[in-house]
Amino acid sequence: MFDKIIAHVKRFVPLSPKEEEILCSYLKIEEYAKKKHLLEEGEMCTGKYFVNSGVVRMYTLNEKGVEQVIHFAIEGWWITDYFTFNTNMPAKCGIQAVEPTQIIVIDAAEQEELLKELPQMERYFRLVLEKAYAASLMRTHYMFNFSAEERYRHFSEHYPEFVQRVPQYLVASYLGFTPEFLSMLRAKKG
Amino acid sequence: MFDKIIAHVKRFVPLSPKEEEILCSYLKIEEYAKKKHLLEEGEMCTGKYFVNSGVVRMYTLNEKGVEQVIHFAIEGWWITDYFTFNTNMPAKCGIQAVEPTQIIVIDAAEQEELLKELPQMERYFRLVLEKAYAASLMRTHYMFNFSAEERYRHFSEHYPEFVQRVPQYLVASYLGFTPEFLSMLRAKKG
DNA sequence: CAAAAAACTTAAAGCAGTTTAAGAAAACAC
DNA sequence: GTGTTTTCTTAAACTGCTTTAAGTTTTTTG
């Protein structure tokens, strides 16, 4: 049930069988159908989500109410609204299942207890965040330094399963252009 | 000498006078003149940098050799190339002083020892990274959802000292447009 | 303080990507 | 399995920002 997340944690910090049990006692599994929300704009963000299977997207709304995809997470990725997680403010973004998705949740309120019981989880989350932050800066780099076409070619080369699993209009939004333009790119070649 | 960083750490985790001393024993001060590099592309990233005073920028190079500002850091911000910090790979980005800058460095090699001596620093860095990551996603949000003009107006309203201290062509690069266009915006109004 | 370098401005021509609108195809629900 | 909704396509008109190029101002340096 929790093997994937246990394996993930063990890639970063050691965990005895007993400690594995402790960790598991803090985990909850949740199932989300396609298009169901893990978090809706304006709600309180009550947990950290580990994608056990499936795909989710994080998005923000602009003034016209258009949804902009900020981030995808697939199996093995953590996702949460860190912006409001620590502040008890209502979320400014939504998190939604793109396909049927199984999520492992660590509740915000219980996280502190877990970190006291298993201090190495503090290190685990630090290391995971270092990777996520680096990836976010790399995304910024790609957005600035490559044209829409280059971004699309790069993305479909490096994450072909994504292009399969995720509707094109969400890929377009993530890459920062319109679905119509993506359609044009596809017509042109590949 | 290290009051600013001590105060910063204490905003997130407790630190006894003795522990303060331990922390300080791991810190080094470095001075950088304007335009000097903390890190150059291709070098190994050997530390984490806390800006004690001054401003630095992180940038990447595109294929044409044009520098793109990915990130600024002022007093009280940490900056490092997390992408290569943990991997011992040569850096893909540069970090440069924008004005005369005082940096507090934690050496990569010594960081592990520090974290063993002061486990709460693990928590400190996690919390700092959560903020940095949230800010990076927020930047992505602004890039996607606002026009170049809106981004400039928002930036100069919220970070007026920045617009004073940082050359315009760097602000333009950070906001994702050309210096010529920024000039045009300024001519138009304010 | 004079010379050189760095930073900023202006304006015209150009284009990458958007907008709009309407139709086709695929996925979903009953 | 048929009706409805969602997703994808095509194409023409449009626009926000870039490119280019030349000139001006400011800052740096010996």
Side-chain angles (χ1 to χ4, degrees), chain A residues 34 51 53-55 73-75 98-101 160-167 171:
Chain A
K34 191 170 171 172
V51 181
S53 70
V55 183
I74 47 167
E75 292 89 350
V98 172
E99 54 183 54
T101 294
E161 12 108 55
F162 244 97
V163 181
Q164 307 279 307
R165 288 165 70 177
V166 174
V171 170

Side-chain angles (χ1 to χ4, degrees), chain A residues 36-157:
Chain A
K36 287 290 172 197
H37 280 81
L38 286 68
L39 175 71
E40 266 182 290
E41 208 217 349
E43 288 180 2
M44 294 299 164
C45 180
T46 61
K48 286 185 179 175
Y49 307 111
F50 179 88
V51 181
N52 202 37
S53 70
V55 183
V56 305
R57 70 181 176 114
M58 171 181 274
Y59 63 90
T60 58
L61 296 169
N62 68 15
E63 295 127 339
K64 295 163 210 145
V66 177
E67 294 181 357
Q68 170 62 51
V69 176
I70 295 296
H71 196 50
F72 285 118
I74 47 167
E75 292 89 350
W77 278 82
W78 284 93
I79 193 164
T80 195
D81 179 8
Y82 288 105
F83 205 80
T84 56
F85 185 78
N86 294 311
T87 58
N88 270 330
M89 292 202 355
K92 285 171 185 165
C93 63
I95 305 179
Q96 187 193 42
V98 172
E99 54 183 54
T101 294
Q102 203 177 49
I103 293 289
I104 299 175
V105 188
I106 292 186
D107 190 73
E110 293 172 15
Q111 186 194 232
E112 284 308 310
E113 237 177 289
L114 166 63
L115 292 172
K116 257 180 220 149
E117 275 205 78
L118 299 180
Q120 66 264 54
M121 289 302 288
E122 200 81 72
R123 179 180 180 83
Y124 167 71
F125 283 120
R126 173 178 67 84
L127 293 170
V128 163
L129 272 160
E130 284 191 359
K131 282 189 78 168
Y133 180 57
S136 180
L137 292 190
M138 196 46 63
R139 171 151 151 73
T140 303
H141 165 71
Y142 276 107
M143 281 307 301
F144 280 131
N145 286 299
F146 296 94
S147 70
E149 173 154 16
E150 289 170 323
R151 260 142 45 211
Y152 174 64
R153 303 283 175 219
H154 181 271
F155 188 77
S156 19
E157 239 174 73

Side-chain angles (χ1 to χ4, degrees), chain B residues 90-102:
Chain B
K92 285 169 185 167
C93 63
I95 305 179
Q96 187 192 42
V98 172
E99 55 182 54
T101 296
Q102 203 177 50

